[in-house]
Structure formats: structure tokens, C-alpha cells
Amino acid sequence: MAKRWTNDLGPQDVTPKSLYLDRRRIIAGIAGIGLAGMAGGAAGASTDLTPNDWKSITSYNNFYEFGTGKDDPAKHAHRLTTAPWSITIDGMVERPGAYALGEILSKMTIEERIYRFRCVEAWSMVVPWNGFELADLLQMVGVRPEAKYVAFETLLRPEEMRGQKFPVLEWPYVEGLRLDEAMHPLTLMATGIYGRTIPNQNGAPIRLVVPWKYGFKSIKSIVRITLTDRRPPTSWNKANGREYGFFSNVNPEVDHPRWSQATERPIGGGLFARRQPTLMFNGYQREVAALYEGMDLKRNY
Ligand SMILES: Nc1nc2c(c(=O)[nH]1)N[C@H]1C(S)=C(S)[C@@H](COP(=O)(O)O)O[C@H]1N2
Ligand SMILES: [Mo]
């Protein structure tokens, strides 16, 4: 299970260890611009993958279980109890059950993955996640041959998730992937950011990260994973199927009915922030395009 995924980043895109040294400074957000300069200098190549600082990643969030404002999750998610935590893995698997998170983690290899993150609302960040491949977890429980999709469910606990008292979405939040998408080595189960435990507002204690899809596919605070042969319902598709499809692959050529997806606003760029072009499959085209060969991506949005 120990493997490293390199995706489309060259060595020049990964912040050298020696520059990482000072994680606390990065986390504090002090190193923002300095780090970008250093990394570029050391690598001799520019990169758009300088991670956002800790503050922007953890204070500008979407997590409607805590409210619909970008600052609501950071304000209210501290009320969520994340231990003990278990994930029920059921449906078409060889070894269904309620797995304690600690038991899962003891069997997984935690890696760092610096991924672009693109919300359907046309903003973006770069996040240094820590986590393991969903494929490894699915392998641990054994996927039965008839399974075609993976369904995910967020915790339902309105006492701690105040947003669940309002019918903005149908609760619990649910998401889904085709099995080949779920098994793709880029698909991550994240338990950390910047080498720290993932904060509640970012989906503690464990959330999905699918970097070539719009952010809402990356479901937070997961308590159930179900293998099925039917395409599972997904929260935003249920809420508005015309605007949000099952696939939701990042695609600059397929606009949202109410706004363009051709460009995006990087979060946290401060004075120098400019809209930047959105990349096909969020820049992961080389890795994932084959999954959608022959598919009409306008119809399968
Ligand atoms: N359970 C749950 N998961 C969720 C959401 C949510 O409201 N509830 N919001 C989604 C959306 S729209 C985005 S953009 C990302 C935001 O992740 P972040 O706050 O870590 O940047 O989480 C996704 N996962
Ligand atoms: Mo989003």
C-alpha cells in the first residue's frame, strides 16, 4: 500500500523539504509571499501550485451543515464532536461493517498531496492535504464485482450542526462517484492539512477530495460509504439538477447556467489576485481524461 502518486507535478512543483521546514510560519500565513519566491527560486521554474496559507484554507469554507456563509463553518464547526468516529462501509463489499477511524488509519499510508481545489462558484485554492487513497480503503473492505458506484454520506447531527436545522439542502449531505473514479489514484480521503489534523470546518475527521471535480463532490465528515450498482443520489443534483450534475468535472468550456466557468478567482491572493483561466479537469486532464473517453461532457455535466 505504500505508494506515491506524482500526478502532473514535476519535482519543481513540490516545495522542497528544506523550505517546508518552517511549517509554523506557513501555517501562520506569514510565509505566503516569501515562500512563493523561495520555491520559485529554488526550483528555477514558476508554479501555480504554491499552497494557500492555513488561514485562508480554514476560514473561507463551504460546509452548509454549519451555515451558508463562508465564515460560518470556522465560527460554528468547533461544536462538532469528532471522536469517537466510525465509518459504516456497506453494500456490495466482502467485509461490511462499522470501522473505527483509528482502525482504518492504522492500515492506511498517509501521504501529502498538494492539489488544486476548484469550487463550482468559480473560486479556487491550492491545498496541501494529508490523507490516503480511497482505493486502499476499498481494497481493505473488498469490492464485490457487481458494484459500479460508491455512495458517501455526511454525519447527521443537528445538535452539533446547526445548519441542519434549516432545509437549505436535504440532510444528510450525500455524494457519489463511479467506481472507476473512486478507485483512481488521485482520489483521496483527507485527514489533515499542512501536516495537522484536519480542522472541523474542512470536514473533520475525514473527508473526500476529488481534485478534478467541483468542490461540492468532495464530501465532508463522512460516516457511511456504500458500494452499489445504481448511480447514487447526490445533494446538489437533488437540490437543482439543471445546474449540478452527477459528474461535475471541472470544465472551462461548460458554463454553469448562471455564470461562466472559464475563469476562477484564486482565494487569498490579496493585492495580486487576478482571475485565472480554469483548466480542463482542473489541470488533471492527463491523469483522468481516459475515464471519460467517448462521453459528451456537455450532456454529462
Ligand atoms: N457535508 C458537506 N460537504 C461539503 C460541503 C457541504 O456543504 N457539506 N460543501 C462542499 C463544497 S460546495 C465545497 S467548495 C467544499 C469546500 O471545502 P473546504 O471548505 O475545505 O474548502 O466542500 C464540499 N463538501
Ligand atoms: Mo463548492
Side-chain angles (χ1 to χ4, degrees):
M1 264 185 264
K3 57 185 153 155
R4 260 209 99 85
W5 177 253
T6 54
N7 68 42
D8 64 342
L9 316 184
Q12 75 279 2
D13 294 314
V14 177
T15 308
K17 266 246 148 58
S18 58
L19 295 181
Y20 237 174
L21 66 171
D22 216 330
R23 278 174 194 273
R24 273 161 314 178
R25 275 178 65 220
I26 300 168
I27 287 164
I30 303 163
I33 298 218
L35 181 77
M38 285 156 73
S46 71
T47 170
D48 56 347
L49 284 175
T50 302
N52 277 82
D53 62 40
W54 174 263
K55 183 144 196 289
S56 58
I57 295 169
T58 61
S59 62
Y60 187 93
N61 301 100
N62 275 334
F63 199 168
Y64 279 20
E65 283 84 343
F66 297 103
T68 56
K70 292 289 181 274
D71 56 348
D72 281 330
K75 269 196 274 184
H76 303 298
H78 63 91
R79 306 219 19 204
L80 176 65
T81 311
T82 56
W85 195 273
S86 66
I87 304 181
T88 298
I89 308 181
D90 59 6
M92 296 167 167
V93 294
E94 307 288 356
R95 293 170 289 280
Y99 290 86
L101 182 58
E103 182 195 346
I104 292 174
L105 292 181
S106 72
K107 295 186 175 127
M108 297 292 124
T109 306
I110 301 290
E111 307 176 23
E112 178 177 74
R113 300 279 182 94
I114 300 173
Y115 282 164
R116 296 184 191 89
F117 188 89
R118 170 62 157 82
C119 174
V120 75
E121 298 162 337
W123 53 264
S124 67
M125 297 194 192
V126 175
V127 184
W129 304 104
N130 309 97
F132 57 87
E133 291 182 15
L134 175 59
D136 288 341
L137 179 60
L138 295 179
Q139 195 182 357
M140 182 185 112
V141 297
V143 176
R144 298 219 308 255
E146 60 272 29
K148 294 192 175 71
Y149 295 91
V150 186
F152 304 85
E153 199 176 296
T154 293
L155 177 72
L156 179 65
R157 193 184 287 161
E159 319 87 82
E160 295 183 2
M161 300 173 121
R162 68 208 302 267
Q164 288 181 336
K165 295 183 171 143
F166 306 93
V168 243
L169 287 171
E170 224 179 276
W171 310 112
Y173 194 99
V174 290
E175 256 305 335
L177 295 172
R178 227 169 48 187
L179 184 60
D180 58 346
E181 298 174 324
M183 296 295 286
H184 193 282
L186 280 176
T187 303
L188 199 70
M189 295 292 279
T191 54
I193 294 174
Y194 270 118
R196 287 185 172 188
T197 299
I198 192 167
N200 286 2
Q201 59 267 37
N202 293 88
I206 184 163
R207 60 94 59 88
L208 183 68
V209 179
V210 193
W212 70 94
K213 293 177 178 283
Y214 291 120
F216 65 83
K217 298 293 292 182
S218 293
I219 181 174
K220 295 176 166 180
S221 306
I222 295 168
V223 292
R224 184 183 292 271
I225 297 177
T226 306
L227 279 286
T228 165
D229 58 0
R230 300 262 186 95
R231 184 186 287 189
T234 59
S235 280
W236 280 102
N237 181 253
K238 283 195 287 180
N240 190 340
R242 206 177 64 84
E243 298 191 354
Y244 308 103
F246 175 79
F247 287 97
S248 293
N249 293 314
V250 175
N251 189 337
E253 287 156 28
V254 178
D255 287 338
H256 186 277
R258 292 184 279 127
W259 59 84
S260 164
Q261 295 290 26
T263 64
E264 63 201 44
R265 178 174 60 94
I267 297 299
L271 276 178
F272 305 104
R274 293 232 166 84
R275 289 193 81 85
Q276 61 190 31
T278 287
L279 303 172
M280 186 64 199
F281 295 115
N282 203 25
Y284 301 98
Q285 177 157 30
R286 211 185 56 182
E287 290 80 7
V288 303
L291 295 173
Y292 309 104
E293 226 165 64
M295 252 176 69
D296 180 344
L297 298 177
K298 279 209 160 68
R299 287 191 55 208
N300 296 284
Y301 56 94

